C-alpha cells in the first residue's frame, strides 16, 4: 500500500490487512507531521505489516518519538527503511530501544542519517536481538573508528547477516582491524561495501589478511580509499588467491601502472618459487637409493592421490568462487599498466576465471586492445571488457569485437 502526498484516512485504513507501507509526507509546512501522526495511529493497530519504507521523510524529534513507540507493535515487520530521515544519534538511540520487539526483522536501512559514535553505541545494543537480520545498510553516516568498534561485538552475533553497507563513514586505518574482525566473524557475510572511506595502504593489509583466512566475502567494494600501489597489491594478491571472492572493486584508488607492475612482479616470483620447489623435490627423489625404490613408489602414489585431490579442490574453487569481476576504472594505469595486469593474471592463473574487467577512464589506447588480443586464449571466460572513456575509437572497438566473438568491448 503506497501512502504518498495524500491525506491519510486512518479509520478507513484500519479495516485493511496492510502488509507494505511506503510513506512520503506532504511537503506543506506542518502537514508532514500531521500525516505521520495518522500513519502511526494505523501502525499501532497493524498486526500483519511486513515492510515499512519511510525514506526521505524529515522526521523531527516528535516524529521519532511517535514512530519508535509504534514499532513495538510490529512483530511481523521484515523490512524497515529509514534512510535519509535525518534521525541522527538521538533518533537511532530511540529506535534501538524498540528493536528487540522486531525479532523477525531481516532488512534494516539507515543510510544518510548523520549517525556518529553515540548513535552506533545505541544501535549496537539493539542489534544483538535481531537474530534473523540479513542486510544492514549504514552507508553515508559518520560512525568512524569508534563507531565500528562499538558495533563489532553486536555484528559478531549476527550469524545470518549477508550484506553490510559501510560506505562513506570516515573509516580509516584505525578501523580496519574492527572491520576485518566482522569479515571473519560473520559466517554468511557475502557482500561488503567499504567505498569512499580512507583505509589507505595500511588498512588494506588488515582487510587482505581477513580475505586470506576463513572469510565468506564474495563481493568486496573498496573504491575511493586512497589505496595507492601498495594497498592495491596486498588486496589483489588476496583476491586472486581466494577461492571465495568473485568481485573486487578497487576503482578510483590511484593505483597507476606502478601498482600493476608490483602485482605482476609478485605473481611472477611466486611462480618461480613454486617451480624451483618442484624441481628440488624431483632431484631429491632421483637421488634416493635403489633399495628404497619400492618405498618411493608407494610415497609417490600417495602424493599423486593427494595432488589429484588438491587439483579437484582447486578446480571446484575455480568453478564456484574464483575472481570473476574486477573494477580498475579511473586508476591512471595506461597501456603499460594494462600489459602488467594481463601478465599478473596469467602468471597466477587468475585469467582463467575472469569474466568482467572494468577499465574505464584509464588513458588506454588501441595498443591495449592489441595486447589483449594476443593473450585472449589465456582468458577463456572473458565476456566483457569495459573501455569507455579511453582513447579507443568506436571503429577500433568494433574491429576487435569481430575478432573476439565472445567478448563485448
Amino acid at each position: 500500500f503506497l501512502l504518498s502526498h495524500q491525506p491519510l484516512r486512518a479509520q478507513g485504513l484500519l479495516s485493511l490487512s496492510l502488509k507494505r507501507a511506503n510513506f512520503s509526507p506532504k511537503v506543506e509546512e506542518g502537514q508532514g507531521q500531521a500525516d505521520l501522526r495518522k500513519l502511526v495511529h494505523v501502525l499501532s493497530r497493524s498486526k500483519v505489516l511486513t515492510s515499512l519504507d519511510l525514506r526521505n521523510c524529515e522526521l523531527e524529534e516528535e516524529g521519532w518519538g511517535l514512530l519508535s513507540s509504534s514499532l513495538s507493535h510490529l512483530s511481523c515487520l521484515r523490512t524497515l527503511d529509514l534512510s535519509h530521515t535525518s534521525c541522527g544519534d538521538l533518533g537511532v538511540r530511540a529506535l534501538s530501544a524498540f528493536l528487540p520487539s522486531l525479532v523477525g526483522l531481516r532488512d534494516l536501512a539507515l543510510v544518510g542519517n548523520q549517525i556518529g559514535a553515540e548513535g552506533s553505541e545505541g544501535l549496537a545494543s539493539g542489534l544483538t536481538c535481531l537474530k534473523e537480520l540479513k542486510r544492514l545498510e549504514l552507508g553515508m553516516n559518520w560512525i568512524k573508528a569508534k563507531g565500528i568498534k562499538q558495533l563489532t561485538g553486536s555484528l559478531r552475533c549476527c550469524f545470518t547477516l549477508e550484506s553490510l553497507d559501510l560506505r562513506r563513514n570516515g573509516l580509516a586505518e584505525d578501523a580496519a582491524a574492527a572491520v576485518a574482525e566482522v569479515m571473519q566473524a560473520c559466517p554468511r557475510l557475502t557482500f561488503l561495501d567499504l567505498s569512499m572511506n580512507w583505509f589507505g595502504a595500511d588498512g588494506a593489509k588488515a582487510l587482505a589478511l581477513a580475505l586470506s583466512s576463513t572469510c565468506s566475502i564474495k563481493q568486496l567494494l573498496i573504491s575511493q580509499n586512497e589505496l595507492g600501489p601498495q594497498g592495491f597489491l596486498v588486496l589483489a594478491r588476496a583476491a586472486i588467491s581466494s577461492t571465495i571472492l568473485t568481485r573486487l572493486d578497487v576503482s578510483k584508488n590511484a593505483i597507476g601502472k606502478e601498482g600493476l607492475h608490483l602485482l605482476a612482479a609478485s605473481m611472477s616470483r611466486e611462480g618461480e618459487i613454486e617451480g624451483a620447489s618442484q624441481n628440488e623435490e624431483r632431484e631429491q627423489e632421483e637421488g634416493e637409493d635403489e633399495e628404497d625404490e619400492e618405498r618411493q613408489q608407494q610415497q609417490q602414489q600417495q602424493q599423486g592421490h593427494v595432488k589429484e585431490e588438491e587439483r579437484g579442490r582447486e578446480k571446484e574453487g575455480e568453478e564456484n568462487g574464483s575472481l570473476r569481476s574486477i573494477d580498475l576504472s579511473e586508476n591512471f594505469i595506461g597501456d603499460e599498466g594494462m600489459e602488467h595486469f594481463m601478465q599478473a593474471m596469467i602468471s597466477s592463473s587468475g585469467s582463467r576465471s575472469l569474466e568482467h574487467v572494468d577499465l574505464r577512464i584509464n588513458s588506454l589506447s588501441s595498443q591495449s586492445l592489441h595486447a589483449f588480443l594476443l593473450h585472449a586464449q589465456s582468458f577463456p571466460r572473458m565476456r566483457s571488457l569495459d573501455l569507455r572513456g579511453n582513447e579507443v575509437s568506436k571503429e577500433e572497438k568494433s574491429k576487435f569485437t569481430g575478432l573476439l566473438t565472445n567478448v563485448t568491448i
Side-chain angles (χ1 to χ4, degrees):
F1 195 92
L2 178 66
L3 310 174
S4 178
H5 298 287
Q6 298 293 332
L8 304 183
R9 297 179 181 178
Q11 296 299 326
L13 285 174
L14 289 178
S15 63
L16 297 175
S17 296
L18 191 65
K19 291 189 176 182
R20 296 188 63 187
N22 185 334
F23 174 61
S24 298
K26 294 193 70 171
V27 295
E28 288 86 347
E29 184 177 357
Q31 186 62 52
Q33 291 299 308
D35 281 356
L36 182 60
R37 281 192 291 273
K38 294 177 182 179
L39 175 64
V40 166
H41 182 60
V42 174
L43 295 180
S44 64
R45 304 290 185 89
S46 175
K47 301 297 182 182
V48 294
L49 188 71
T50 60
S51 178
L52 179 59
D53 186 346
L54 296 176
R55 280 175 295 175
N56 301 313
C57 293
E58 292 290 335
L59 300 178
E60 300 173 4
E61 186 174 348
E62 179 190 0
W64 271 103
L66 291 169
L67 177 64
S68 297
S69 62
S70 67
L71 289 177
S72 60
H73 303 282
L74 304 178
S75 58
C76 293
L77 199 64
R78 298 292 179 265
T79 301
L80 178 60
D81 193 337
L82 298 172
S83 299
H84 303 290
T85 52
S86 302
C87 66
D89 290 338
L90 291 177
V92 169
R93 292 182 73 89
L95 168 68
S96 299
F98 294 95
L99 281 180
S101 303
L102 308 179
V103 291
L105 194 66
R106 295 173 184 172
D107 297 339
L108 176 60
L110 294 166
V111 177
N113 275 309
Q114 303 169 4
I115 301 171
E118 183 182 347
S120 300
E121 183 180 6
L123 181 60
S125 63
L127 287 177
T128 56
C129 303
L130 303 181
K131 302 301 183 182
E132 297 184 21
L133 189 66
K134 292 186 176 181
R135 185 180 64 176
L136 179 60
E137 297 185 14
L138 295 173
M140 301 173 66
N141 286 294
W142 202 243
I143 64 177
K144 303 187 76 174
K146 185 177 180 180
I148 191 62
K149 289 174 183 177
Q150 291 169 334
L151 287 168
T152 298
S154 299
L155 292 175
R156 285 174 61 91
C157 300
C158 294
F159 299 115
T160 58
L161 189 65
E162 298 175 359
S163 176
L164 179 59
D165 175 9
L166 294 173
R167 62 199 155 99
R168 212 172 88 180
N169 262 294
L171 303 177
E173 175 191 348
D174 53 353
V179 175
E181 185 178 348
V182 172
M183 292 169 66
Q184 294 173 290
C186 298
R188 297 186 182 180
L189 185 62
T190 57
F191 178 87
L192 179 60
D193 192 347
L194 300 174
S195 303
M196 294 179 282
N197 283 296
W198 308 323
F199 283 107
D202 290 332
K205 294 177 183 177
L207 302 177
L209 284 174
L211 279 179
S212 302
S213 62
T214 53
C215 175
S216 58
I217 301 293
K218 290 186 177 180
Q219 300 186 62
L220 176 61
L221 281 59
I222 190 167
S223 64
Q224 287 184 262
N225 264 275
E226 303 176 358
L227 298 181
Q230 293 293 339
F232 166 72
L233 173 63
V234 294
L235 275 177
R237 281 170 54 89
I240 291 171
S241 62
S242 172
T243 57
I244 301 295
L245 193 73
T246 61
R247 178 189 176 194
L248 178 65
D249 182 354
V250 286
S251 58
K252 302 179 182 179
N253 272 298
I255 295 169
K257 64 180 181 181
E258 181 185 351
L260 278 303
H261 174 70
L262 290 173
L263 181 61
S266 175
M267 294 295 100
S268 178
R269 281 195 301 271
E270 281 194 3
E272 290 174 359
I273 292 172
E274 184 178 351
S277 177
Q278 291 175 351
N279 289 335
E280 185 178 347
E281 288 179 2
R282 283 195 295 268
E283 289 175 0
Q284 288 178 353
E285 290 174 0
E286 291 173 358
E288 293 289 340
D289 295 333
E290 294 182 0
E291 296 177 358
D292 298 327
E293 184 176 348
E294 185 176 349
R295 177 175 57 82
Q296 292 173 14
Q297 289 176 351
Q298 292 176 351
Q299 289 178 344
Q300 289 172 357
Q301 288 176 355
Q302 292 175 352
Q303 290 174 356
H305 290 311
V306 171
K307 288 180 179 179
E308 285 180 6
E309 291 176 0
E310 289 177 349
R311 282 195 293 268
R313 286 194 294 268
E314 289 174 359
K315 183 177 180 181
E316 182 180 358
E318 288 178 4
E319 293 175 351
N320 298 326
S322 293
L323 189 63
R324 297 174 185 173
S325 174
I326 184 167
D327 188 341
L328 292 167
S329 59
E330 298 187 52
N331 271 302
F332 315 107
I333 67 173
D335 292 326
E336 188 176 344
M338 176 65 169
E339 183 68 37
H340 291 317
F341 170 69
M342 288 187 291
Q343 290 174 0
M345 291 294 101
I346 295 171
S347 298
S348 64
S349 300
S351 60
R352 293 203 299 266
S353 61
L354 268 182
E355 297 177 1
H356 310 284
V357 179
D358 191 336
L359 294 165
R360 289 172 296 166
I361 314 176
N362 265 302
S363 302
L364 303 178
S365 69
S366 58
Q367 180 180 335
S368 291
L369 274 177
H370 281 284
F372 179 75
L373 184 61
L374 292 174
H375 299 292
Q377 291 182 343
S378 298
F379 296 83
R381 295 188 180 182
M382 184 68 73
R383 293 295 175 265
S384 69
L385 192 63
D386 196 337
L387 295 172
R388 288 174 294 173
N390 287 293
E391 301 167 9
V392 183
S393 66
K394 292 183 179 179
E395 291 75 13
E396 288 174 317
K397 289 181 182 179
S398 178
K399 174 184 174 181
F400 282 99
T401 300
L403 295 172
L404 300 167
T405 54
N406 295 326
V407 182
T408 299
I409 298 177

